[in-house]
Amino acid sequence: MVTTIEVEDTITVGALAERLMIPVTRLITELMKNGVMATVNERIDFDTAQIITQELGLDVELKAGADKTLPLRREKPKASAKATIRPPVVAVMGHVDHGKTSLLDAIRGSSVAAKEAGGITQHISAYQIEHNGRPITFLDTPGHEAFASIREHGAQLTDIVILVVAADDGVKPQTIEAIRYAINAGVKIIVAINKIDKEGADPNRIKQQLSEHNLLVEEWGGDTVVLTLSAKTGQGVNELLDMVLLVADVEDLKADVDVPARGLVIEAHVEVGRGPVATALVESGILKPGQFVVAGATYAKVRNLETPDGKPLKQAGPSTPVSITGFKTLPEFGDEFIAVSSERLARAQAETAASERHTTSNREITSGELLKLINRSHELSELNLIVKADVQGSLTSVIDSLSALNTEEVAVRIVSSGIGAITDNNLRLSMTTGAKIYGFNVIAPSTIRQQAVRDRIELHLYNVIYELIDDVKAELEKLLLPQVVETDLGNLIIRGIFNTTKANVICGGEVTTGKLSLPALARVKRGKELIMEAELTNLKRGPTDVKEINAGEMCGLSLKTASRLDLELGDRLEVFRREVKQRHL
Ligand code: GDP
């Protein structure tokens, strides 16, 4: 029977799980599989809730409820009639090694190679190029982040996704993940079949695979734009950029400029001598140095306004990626920033946001906390973890999703979390706390990896968030006390006793009910009294060993006992099977 449940226009993940009567972790995992990174307290919209409920295969129908007083999700600032054309914001996504970095490099030209000389890779999370005299903004954040913010903040950051698929490899898990993100977010997809210069490149095979994942190419009657190119030779890259501008024109992308500047923080880190530095994308209005901006729980008087690769800007309009210094504390990925008229207002808004927010920040554990941790009583089994991620946004996503796995019986305990590669410090902390190290989109230098192997430290690195979550979940499940399941097989009455030793009885009997088979245990009963529990080690029909004996049949059997069992004729055996099953979260 299908149950109908009323749901508001937006509902928190936790509340939805409660109404669906399923564990919240199951809901979060399903959301992730569909490309929605949402944590327990985040809101998802009705459509998402409905799709996920269907995907879960529950006999539940969601009905849009009447609660219209809840704020609807924030759309990208709506453009008014006065709005002007803005550049498209493009994200490049695809499976690892399919050529995303190479393509972005090819698009940016040689400037990157020069910057990365000396082995220091300055990760630049967004930049703008010009093509045919028109700007295009590229986001170089891990794909899921560009979309995570859509759900967290209702803001649409990206207009177009370039989906890179290597012609010699084909559609792979992260390709599918990217397709889900883009489709869920309603973003235009341009497929770039890369590595076309390679032998064995087969674009038709890729198009076929894409069609199996809801992307039907134009030439086959669909509406997905597909181009072939080589990031290595540069062949096809200009045509790709032409196509980006064409799609942008069709989409008629506009934004207002005569409004207070607002946008989203897409990356934030601390630089020695400069303090917190945020990379942000302006969505509307014009941002200028000296303005006050609030971003989440912090604010800034914009000190330096620069392109993300460090060129000073006098002002920045819609779709411009900028680097901002002057923040009091580190803003978070996905924070919306908005220009306000005074410092007083900026501080007040940031303080209100701070008191509402429970922030997960970088921290190493103190020795006092460590002691507490070690001495904790064990009613709750905990899995100690050290979590590292590439940027604050993904770190928060990972930590929130991991915390959502907690139950009354098992829980993750994050002894340390932080941004960046796995370090010596992480290994040391792992040695003292026994924590397993999980990294998302970060590297571990080979010396660290070798040391981890030497010290038997568990170190796991991931590029796909739900694979990390699934693995931690499996670890947590190992901590759950296993479930013991007993299945009754049948009953038997002892009709003959042939040999009794300290640890064994060979006897015969008649099966009165059920069907006996091995392996099996037996409760030996005399009247109502339980004499002993024994193990059935052998079943015979006449002289032959058999696998099964049915009700009504006579059989011979061997019982293995813990101590001598003086069986009597007429004793009854309740035969059952005991299985120890791993429980699941
Ligand atoms: P990402 O993991 O998606 O960023 O992939 P990379 O850009 O790092 O590329 C992975 C590997 O594929 C590198 O060794 C590149 O040199 C190579 N590669 C990328 N694009 C092409 C291409 O068009 N042709 C060929 N032959 N190799 C390519």
Side-chain angles (χ1 to χ4, degrees):
M1 198 191 78
V2 178
T3 323
T4 305
I5 297 177
E6 274 206 1
V7 171
E8 299 80 359
D9 282 342
T10 69
I11 181 166
T12 65
V13 173
L16 181 62
E18 221 166 75
R19 285 199 214 164
L20 295 175
M21 293 192 287
I22 59 168
V24 71
T25 46
R26 190 170 156 209
L27 183 58
I28 289 179
T29 310
E30 193 60 37
L31 282 163
M32 270 186 192
K33 288 185 177 157
N34 285 276
V36 181
M37 299 294 150
T39 54
V40 187
N41 296 322
E42 275 165 17
R43 291 185 169 275
I44 54 174
D45 59 22
F46 176 77
D47 289 345
T48 309
Q50 197 169 36
I51 292 166
I52 292 298
T53 307
Q54 279 164 10
E55 297 264 294
L56 282 164
L58 302 173
D59 278 337
V60 172
E61 200 179 271
L62 295 189
K63 202 170 130 232
D67 190 356
K68 301 282 183 209
T69 55
L70 282 169
L72 287 173
R73 65 193 199 119
R74 169 189 171 263
E75 297 296 336
K76 193 159 192 137
K78 279 255 177 328
S80 74
K82 286 190 293 181
T84 49
I85 300 275
R86 64 172 178 83
V89 179
V90 183
V92 176
M93 299 177 80
H95 198 71
V96 64
D97 276 346
H98 279 197
K100 296 178 293 295
T101 313
S102 306
L103 177 61
L104 282 164
D105 288 355
I107 290 169
R108 286 184 88 187
S110 55
S111 58
V112 188
K115 243 194 142 42
E116 291 182 1
I120 305 156
T121 310
Q122 174 71 42
H123 180 77
I124 294 181
S125 45
Y127 54 85
Q128 214 168 49
I129 59 140
E130 263 194 21
H131 181 68
N132 298 342
R134 291 173 57 185
I136 303 173
T137 299
F138 280 90
L139 295 180
D140 189 6
T141 61
H144 67 274
E145 291 190 10
F147 290 95
S149 66
I150 294 171
R151 294 295 163 181
E152 284 172 18
H153 303 272
Q156 175 112 350
L157 197 55
T158 312
D159 303 305
I160 298 168
V161 161
I162 294 177
L163 181 68
V164 179
V165 190
D168 60 342
D169 199 21
V171 170
K172 286 277 159 14
Q174 282 168 282
T175 321
I176 299 168
E177 195 180 42
I179 295 173
R180 284 193 189 143
Y181 280 128
I183 290 181
N184 273 332
V187 169
K188 287 280 159 228
I189 301 174
I190 299 176
V191 179
I193 299 182
N194 188 31
K195 306 199 188 184
I196 202 72
D197 60 297
K198 275 189 129 176
E199 233 173 89
D202 184 357
N204 272 331
R205 187 173 65 93
I206 313 286
K207 289 175 193 171
Q208 174 62 42
Q209 292 175 341
L210 289 168
S211 68
E212 289 160 20
H213 294 279
N214 298 326
L215 292 184
L216 193 60
V217 304
E218 281 181 326
E219 58 194 274
W220 294 353
D223 59 1
T224 303
V225 184
V226 179
L227 291 102
T228 53
L229 55 86
S230 164
K232 191 175 171 191
T233 66
Q235 178 201 340
V237 173
N238 273 326
E239 288 77 359
L240 173 69
L241 296 175
D242 289 344
M243 186 53 75
V244 167
L245 290 176
L246 192 69
V247 171
D249 287 342
V250 173
E251 294 290 296
D252 195 26
L253 306 170
K254 286 185 170 169
D256 281 298
V257 289
D258 53 357
V259 292
R262 67 195 276 183
L264 284 182
V265 173
I266 52 181
E267 194 268 339
H269 63 275
V270 179
E271 263 177 43
V272 181
R274 301 183 85 204
V277 182
T279 308
L281 183 77
V282 181
E283 288 182 311
S284 58
I286 308 271
L287 187 66
K288 294 178 182 162
Q291 282 180 340
F292 292 100
V293 294
V294 189
T298 183
Y299 72 96
K301 176 170 185 177
V302 178
R303 192 168 32 170
N304 302 81
L305 183 71
E306 297 172 346
T307 63
D309 58 354
K311 294 188 195 75
L313 290 169
K314 289 206 177 70
Q315 57 172 49
S319 298
T320 312
V322 292
S323 156
I324 305 170
T325 62
F327 281 102
K328 301 293 169 202
T329 57
L330 205 59
E332 285 185 19
F333 163 80
D335 276 343
E336 185 180 11
F337 77 81
I338 184 151
V340 293
S341 54
S342 71
E343 176 153 20
R344 195 181 46 79
L345 208 58
R347 191 186 311 121
Q349 285 193 15
E351 278 169 5
T352 313
S355 63
E356 283 171 1
R357 180 182 282 196
H358 160 76
T359 44
T360 352
S361 55
N362 275 7
R363 57 193 283 272
E364 298 279 319
I365 197 156
T366 64
S367 56
E369 283 176 287
L370 194 63
L371 262 178
K372 244 201 264 166
L373 212 145
I374 293 165
N375 294 330
R376 264 182 91 92
S377 65
H378 274 282
E379 72 266 339
L380 175 76
S381 302
E382 288 179 321
L383 181 68
N384 286 351
L385 301 178
I386 294 169
V387 182
K388 300 296 290 274
D390 51 345
V391 286
Q392 185 67 45
S394 44
L395 185 65
T396 309
S397 284
V398 171
I399 291 177
D400 285 355
S401 312
L402 289 178
S403 309
L405 296 172
N406 294 349
T407 68
E408 281 178 2
E409 221 179 313
V410 291
V412 295
R413 168 155 278 262
I414 294 165
V415 297
S416 162
S417 66
I419 294 168
I422 312 295
T423 62
D424 248 358
N425 252 335
N426 299 143
L427 295 188
R428 273 198 295 276
L429 190 63
S430 166
M431 294 285 279
T432 38
T433 58
K436 298 175 199 287
I437 305 176
Y438 284 83
F440 177 62
N441 273 340
V442 295
I443 55 157
S446 61
T447 49
I448 295 282
R449 282 203 305 268
Q450 283 157 9
Q451 200 192 325
V453 172
R454 259 199 316 274
D455 296 340
R456 301 214 169 84
I457 291 173
E458 276 199 43
L459 167 59
H460 307 279
L461 303 176
Y462 300 83
N463 293 313
V464 181
I465 194 163
Y466 67 77
E467 285 177 2
L468 187 158
I469 309 299
D470 279 353
D471 281 3
V472 172
K473 189 171 160 206
E475 288 298 320
L476 278 176
E477 285 175 341
K478 287 188 203 157
L479 296 180
L480 287 171
L481 291 173
Q483 189 181 14
V484 178
V485 183
E486 292 189 352
T487 322
D488 287 334
L489 298 178
N491 287 292
L492 174 140
I493 293 182
I494 302 295
R495 299 290 188 211
I497 299 152
F498 309 120
N499 188 10
T500 305
T501 67
K502 217 163 55 187
N504 218 306
V505 182
I506 298 172
C507 53
E510 182 188 347
V511 180
T512 51
T513 56
K515 184 200 278 179
L516 309 194
S517 62
L518 298 179
L521 299 170
R523 279 182 288 268
V524 183
K525 292 267 190 93
R526 189 165 299 154
K528 287 201 168 146
E529 194 191 352
L530 174 67
I531 307 290
M532 192 184 280
E533 196 175 284
E535 186 186 339
L536 239 73
T537 51
N538 185 264
L539 278 179
K540 279 186 194 315
R541 185 180 288 116
T544 336
D545 285 354
V546 289
K547 293 214 171 75
E548 279 181 8
I549 299 285
N550 292 309
E553 286 188 279
M554 298 290 287
C555 66
L557 55 143
S558 300
L559 291 175
K560 198 167 135 196
T561 57
S563 58
R564 187 183 169 90
L565 168 63
D566 286 311
L567 209 56
E568 290 179 6
L569 294 181
D571 283 348
R572 198 160 50 85
L573 300 188
E574 290 173 5
V575 182
F576 65 98
R577 182 163 298 146
R578 180 179 289 152
E579 286 162 296
V580 177
K581 287 197 174 149
Q582 169 157 18
R583 281 161 56 213
H584 295 283
L585 285 175

